[in-house]
Amino acid sequence: LAKTTQPISMDSYEGQEVNITCSHNNIATNDYITWYQQFPSQGPRFIIQGYKTKVTNEVASLFIPADRKSSTLSLPRVSLSDTAVYYCLVGDNNAGNMLTFGGGTRLMVKP
Amino acid sequence: SAVISQKPSRDICQRGTSLTIQCQVDSQVTMMFWYRQQPGQSLTLIATANQGSEATYESGFVIDKFPISRPNLTFSTLTVSNMSPEDSSIYLCSVGRAPNEKLFFGSGTQLSVL
């Protein structure tokens, strides 16, 4: 199971683009990368998942370099409501181990 | 998506008592999981609730302390037994439609043990 490392916290201002990087040096060939968002008093919510290169949806983009040892979640033009904890998970989609949450990154968006 | 209803949303309990938390999903799901999240911390997987069989527990969690039931594909319960203040935490139910597809979470049960 690949271990992930994220910054503990980040600050940003409204309207800025925020990039949160996750390191996963021991990622295996079959591992996928998944990001969740958690607001206070709520359960985590799926944001995006990817395997390589770039994935984009209506909420965020996920950039994964060729060696896949890291990934970057990009949130365009954040607002105050994006203040939350963001978790990066790495695991094998076929092996039942995409269940372990790392420490997460606490993002604070300021006005 | 999956809509998860978790009850109770919060409770305050006395030391030595037990609390059963219910998780109801609006559709049949293959995978159901129970997590614990202590204040300001990340989520820790307690166990996988298996329909029709005994739950699979993670290291550090045992059936006597956290008995789990899963009578069908839409419902599960987690009991926190013989509670102590160290059990004060948020307990979260999570479901997945297939192995390692994205997880959906309930809003959690905030438990305080006095």
Side-chain angles (χ1 to χ4, degrees), chain B residues 12-104:
Chain B
I12 301 173
C13 300
Q14 296 297 318
R15 180 195 301 260
T17 63
S18 297
L19 176 71
T20 295
I21 303 168
Q22 298 180 1
C23 177
Q24 179 74 54
V25 190
D26 68 340
S27 59
Q28 294 185 345
V29 293
T30 304
M31 321 290 284
M32 292 185 79
F33 311 97
W34 287 97
Y35 283 86
R36 182 174 71 183
Q37 186 172 30
Q38 295 178 312
Q41 302 297 312
S42 182
L43 288 78
T44 300
L45 180 64
I46 298 172
T48 299
N50 301 309
Q51 194 264 332
S53 64
E54 200 168 279
T56 304
Y57 289 84
E58 298 299 306
S59 176
F61 298 95
V62 295
I63 187 171
D64 289 347
K65 176 67 175 177
F66 298 101
I68 288 171
S69 78
R70 186 165 178 201
N72 55 52
L73 293 175
T74 63
F75 186 78
S76 178
T77 66
L78 168 75
T79 299
V80 186
S81 303
N82 188 25
M83 288 184 285
S84 66
E86 291 72 34
D87 295 319
S88 297
S89 189
I90 298 173
Y91 293 85
L92 294 145
C93 171
S94 175
V95 304
R97 298 201 174 280
N100 289 310
E101 282 199 7
K102 61 184 178 183
L103 300 176
F104 299 93

Side-chain angles (χ1 to χ4, degrees), chain A residues 34 36 38 41-46 49 87 92-104 106, chain B residues 10 31 33 35 37 40-45 48 90 92 99-108 110:
Chain A
T34 308
Y36 288 85
Q38 185 179 27
S41 302
Q42 294 186 26
R45 183 182 70 147
F46 172 86
Q49 183 180 76
Y87 293 98
D92 187 339
N93 254 5
N94 296 314
N97 62 359
M98 289 284 279
L99 307 172
T100 301
F101 283 74
R106 190 173 300 273
Chain B
R10 61 178 62 232
M31 321 290 284
F33 311 97
Y35 283 86
Q37 186 172 30
Q41 302 297 312
S42 182
L43 288 78
T44 300
L45 180 64
T48 299
I90 298 173
L92 294 145
N100 289 310
E101 282 199 7
K102 61 184 178 183
L103 300 176
F104 299 93
F105 285 83
S107 294
Q110 185 167 343

Side-chain angles (χ1 to χ4, degrees), chain A residues 2-3 23-27 68-70:
Chain A
K3 181 179 178 180
S23 296
H24 27 80
N25 291 319
N26 297 321
I27 191 168
R68 303 199 328 119
K69 293 186 177 183
S70 66

Side-chain angles (χ1 to χ4, degrees), chain A residues 15-76:
Chain A
Q16 290 187 333
E17 178 184 79
V18 171
N19 296 308
I20 305 174
T21 298
C22 178
S23 296
H24 27 80
N25 291 319
N26 297 321
I27 191 168
T29 303
N30 293 331
D31 286 348
Y32 278 70
I33 301 155
T34 308
W35 286 80
Y36 288 85
Q37 174 191 57
Q38 185 179 27
F39 297 113
S41 302
Q42 294 186 26
R45 183 182 70 147
F46 172 86
I47 301 176
I48 199 166
Q49 183 180 76
Y51 182 80
K52 62 180 180 180
T53 62
K54 177 183 175 182
V55 180
T56 297
N57 61 23
E58 65 278 5
V59 177
S61 295
L62 179 59
F63 298 92
I64 305 168
D67 66 4
R68 303 199 328 119
K69 293 186 177 183
S70 66
S71 59
T72 299
L73 175 72
S74 181
L75 304 172

